[in-house]
Structure formats: structure tokens, C-alpha cells
Amino acid sequence: MNNRSENLEHHLDRHLVEELAQVARETVRDELREQTRRQRRTALLYAASGATALYAGAAVALAVGLALASGLPGWAAALITAALLGVVAYGLRGAAHGRHAPHPPHRVVGGSAPAAPPSGLGMPYPPMPQNPPDVPRHRA
């Protein structure tokens, strides 16, 4: 009888674990679905915003070109407008690159390497000997 109750307990425990795992899987799946839906909507709104900004920029460039064309030939107005857009693009590129910190040099310039790494874990390489090692010369 004792063996039968242990077998029943084991079966119930296994059934409970399987049921809990199924509930956990469904909960995680539903949460991921909801997060994905929100992120997809956000990405769609960003894309629409970018496309609208592109058209607004094109309209501004056209207005500048037409304003310049009232006093200059069309080709000159287009050339000046293109140059202005190039300057703005270069400035935006510089602003984007300016946010990043410059990379440290890969080698020590004008000095020697530190005695130990900043982690404090000891010397990264053996110390430099004072004299070069004796190398036996072989005669051919």
C-alpha cells in the first residue's frame, strides 16, 4: 500500500509540475506577444515620422531653390541649394561623431608601458632585462 501511495504522489507531483510549466509558458508567450505588438507599433510610428521629415526637408530645399531661382539661373540656384544641403549634412555628421569619446591609443606614445594592468592582477608580462641575453653563435 505504501508503494502505491508513493507512486500516486509521484504521478501527482509530475502532473503538477507539467501543469505549472504549461501555465508559465503560456504567460511568457502572451507577454512576449504583447511586447512585440507594442514595439512593432513604435517602429511603425518612427518610420512614418522619418518619411514625413524627409518630405518636409525636400519641400524646404525646393523652396530655397525656387527663392534663389528668382534672381539666379535655375542651374545656379540648384547648385547653391545642393551645396547648402551638403554643409548641413556634414554638420549633422560631425555632431553625431562628436558624441563618441575618442579611442585611446593602442600603444604608449612617448613613454613606457605601465608596470601592472589597471585591474591590479599583477604584471601582464615579465620585466625587461637590463642586458640582452647571451646567444650562442653557431658556426656553419
Side-chain angles (χ1 to χ4, degrees):
M1 186 75 171
N2 191 16
N3 190 20
R4 185 175 176 192
S5 66
E6 285 179 12
N7 195 12
L8 181 62
E9 245 179 68
H10 176 70
H11 177 71
L12 287 175
D13 287 345
R14 190 173 47 153
H15 181 70
L16 182 62
V17 167
E18 288 173 4
E19 190 174 329
L20 284 173
Q22 179 67 27
V23 168
R25 279 193 295 271
E26 288 174 4
T27 304
V28 168
R29 188 178 303 128
D30 291 343
E31 181 64 27
L32 287 175
R33 245 188 230 125
E34 179 65 24
Q35 286 179 2
T36 303
R37 187 184 65 78
R38 281 188 300 232
Q39 289 175 350
R40 191 178 300 138
R41 182 175 183 272
T42 302
L44 181 65
L45 290 173
Y46 274 121
S49 170
T52 304
L54 180 68
Y55 281 113
V60 168
L62 180 64
V64 168
L66 289 174
L68 289 173
S70 65
L72 296 171
W75 63 268
L79 189 62
I80 292 171
T81 304
L84 287 174
L85 288 173
V87 168
V88 169
Y90 186 76
L92 291 173
R93 179 183 170 271
H97 283 284
R99 285 191 227 156
H100 304 292
H103 295 289
H106 295 287
R107 58 191 164 96
V108 178
V109 179
S112 61
S119 65
L121 296 176
M123 298 185 76
Y125 41 81
M128 188 75 152
Q130 296 295 329
N131 299 322
D134 291 331
V135 179
R137 297 183 184 176
H138 297 286
R139 293 186 183 171

